[in-house]
Amino acid sequence: MTTPTPEGDPFAAAAEAVQTSVLAWRLVMAVADAVRRQQQRRQKGKEEGLPPAEQAVSEAAAEVTKLVPTDISTALMAGADWPQMAQQLVALRRAGVDLGEFLPRVGDIAVTVRDAVAENAARMAREGTGEWERMLRETLPAGPVREAILASPTWPDIAATMARLDERGVDVRQVLAAAHNEGVGVDQAVARVLAADATPAASRDAVVSYGPLTTGLDLPKDLDLGDRVRALRQLAISPAENERYTRWVREAMPQRGREADLLVNARQWPLVAARMAQMEKNGKPVREHLAQLMKDTSWEDGPRPQIGSRLVQAANDALRRPLGDATASRVKVNTTAARATSTTVGPTRPRAAEGAARAEGGIAPHRRESAPAPRRGRSR
């Protein structure tokens, strides 16, 4: 908590507003530096260290003085952590970021925060990082910036900064959104210097997961289902949420603990968990949908080694199927689609397929919600 400014003292109020804008600056710089480090680790296997503090201060001071409003630049360079921020700025420039474009944009963010503090009364601080993690997931789209923030060892410090900004009347979501845009720019600039694509190709997991399993989900291009912890983080599923969804599955499948474990331990479980998180956020009864797994047990039919994969499809179908729908599960083989994607059998109606493709306008399959396939009753 900061000391309240004397009532009616405009100079003290202005100083408080400037100091808060410096906090916003630190938040943006922490995000940018986290993205730079991760991009270098991903492409080179290691991150480049920070330049010597004395040299960085000399190089960065002229740029900050020239490109940042005077009151904010003065406060920045008077702070005890200015040498570290100067090192981060120089490291960004050496990584390929144009400070002539970056600094004015960060300066605009700081000015917005400064003005917001001057106009808003301080509010009570909120404790802990859980609330800020939820805000981060709700505000930022899945991708390298959000992953870099949550994976950064400085995440607790970032969350504390967000709490202090909120305490002083700042719209933290707006600052986060602006910081995200700068983080994307940093990610792309560093990637260009490392001879990487600014928009990397989709990973194999992202490609093979396209379809009903990911329809409507915010799927990151670099999805890595081989790393369970990272995949859950990429899909914005916290450990507590994953534990809760696991428990719900076991509750929905009483006396079927082995099958429930096969579902939860399946490679594509994070996608099922993401579907449950989306439904929970939208206020839908997730557990009631999961109960449909035991009303239609067609997932039992077939080779035992593939039951985990069938359960993933059945769970996704149960979550998407309207409650009270007594028809059989749609976890069936679509023979038309199988023929159309086969490497040995060509599509039965190529011209119709081409026309449909043109009509779709190139929309990614997992972003397009298709009409439900006709259902067929089960027969024994």
Side-chain angles (χ1 to χ4, degrees), residues 209 213-214 217 219 223 225 235 268-275:
S209 297
L213 197 59
T214 58
L217 296 182
L219 194 68
L223 179 65
L225 294 176
L235 294 165
Q268 292 177 308
W269 162 254
L271 298 174
V272 178
R275 176 79 61 196

Side-chain angles (χ1 to χ4, degrees), residues 29-30 33 36 50 83-93:
M29 286 301 304
D33 189 61
R36 174 190 66 81
L50 296 174
Q84 180 182 1
M85 282 195 286
Q87 289 176 297
Q88 292 174 335
L89 283 170
V90 173
L92 286 173
R93 182 170 61 188

Side-chain angles (χ1 to χ4, degrees), residues 326-338:
T327 57
S329 169
R330 287 173 292 174
V331 186
K332 308 291 183 183
V333 176
N334 185 326
T335 55
T336 302

Side-chain angles (χ1 to χ4, degrees), residues 169-233:
V170 177
D171 186 344
V172 179
R173 292 179 184 273
Q174 183 178 357
V175 177
L176 271 177
H180 170 267
N181 293 337
E182 296 307 321
V184 170
V186 170
D187 180 72
Q188 294 177 348
V190 176
R192 283 194 295 269
V193 172
L194 297 173
D197 292 333
T199 53
S203 67
R204 182 180 184 277
D205 282 330
V207 172
V208 300
S209 297
Y210 286 170
L213 197 59
T214 58
T215 299
L217 296 182
D218 188 5
L219 194 68
K221 276 193 168 185
D222 57 345
L223 179 65
D224 182 9
L225 294 176
D227 184 337
R228 172 63 61 90
V229 174
R230 184 183 179 209
L232 290 170
R233 188 170 62 239

Side-chain angles (χ1 to χ4, degrees), residues 116-270:
V117 173
E119 296 172 359
N120 292 282
R123 293 178 297 178
M124 294 297 295
R126 303 174 201 171
E127 299 179 355
T129 64
E131 177 179 358
W132 305 113
E133 184 173 345
R134 287 194 299 273
M135 177 182 287
L136 190 74
R137 293 199 304 268
E138 293 171 357
T139 304
L140 305 187
V145 176
R146 188 172 71 187
E147 185 181 351
I149 298 172
L150 292 175
S152 173
T154 63
W155 161 240
D157 295 332
I158 295 175
T161 301
M162 293 163 65
R164 293 175 66 187
L165 289 171
D166 179 76
E167 177 186 15
R168 300 182 186 188
V170 177
D171 186 344
V172 179
R173 292 179 184 273
Q174 183 178 357
V175 177
L176 271 177
H180 170 267
N181 293 337
E182 296 307 321
V184 170
V186 170
D187 180 72
Q188 294 177 348
V190 176
R192 283 194 295 269
V193 172
L194 297 173
D197 292 333
T199 53
S203 67
R204 182 180 184 277
D205 282 330
V207 172
V208 300
S209 297
Y210 286 170
L213 197 59
T214 58
T215 299
L217 296 182
D218 188 5
L219 194 68
K221 276 193 168 185
D222 57 345
L223 179 65
D224 182 9
L225 294 176
D227 184 337
R228 172 63 61 90
V229 174
R230 184 183 179 209
L232 290 170
R233 188 170 62 239
Q234 287 180 304
L235 294 165
I237 306 298
S238 69
E241 289 172 323
N242 184 57
E243 182 179 350
R244 181 166 68 253
Y245 300 149
T246 299
R247 184 177 69 253
W248 287 357
V249 166
R250 294 196 172 109
E251 291 172 354
M253 304 178 69
Q255 286 79 52
R256 304 300 290 271
R258 182 178 180 183
E259 287 77 7
D261 288 343
L262 287 173
L263 170 56
V264 172
N265 291 322
R267 180 183 178 88
Q268 292 177 308
W269 162 254

Side-chain angles (χ1 to χ4, degrees), residues 35-103:
V35 173
R36 174 190 66 81
R37 290 172 182 270
Q38 176 160 293
Q39 182 63 262
Q40 289 177 333
R41 286 195 302 270
R42 182 183 297 147
Q43 299 297 329
K44 300 175 66 175
K46 64 178 181 178
E47 62 186 54
E48 296 179 4
L50 296 174
E54 184 176 354
Q55 177 185 353
V57 166
S58 176
E59 291 184 27
E63 297 277 356
V64 171
T65 302
K66 179 174 63 175
L67 299 172
V68 179
T70 302
D71 56 346
I72 296 174
S73 63
T74 300
L76 282 172
M77 292 186 285
D81 59 349
W82 163 242
Q84 180 182 1
M85 282 195 286
Q87 289 176 297
Q88 292 174 335
L89 283 170
V90 173
L92 286 173
R93 182 170 61 188
R94 293 181 179 180
V97 177
D98 186 348
L99 295 186
E101 296 179 2
F102 178 78
L103 284 174

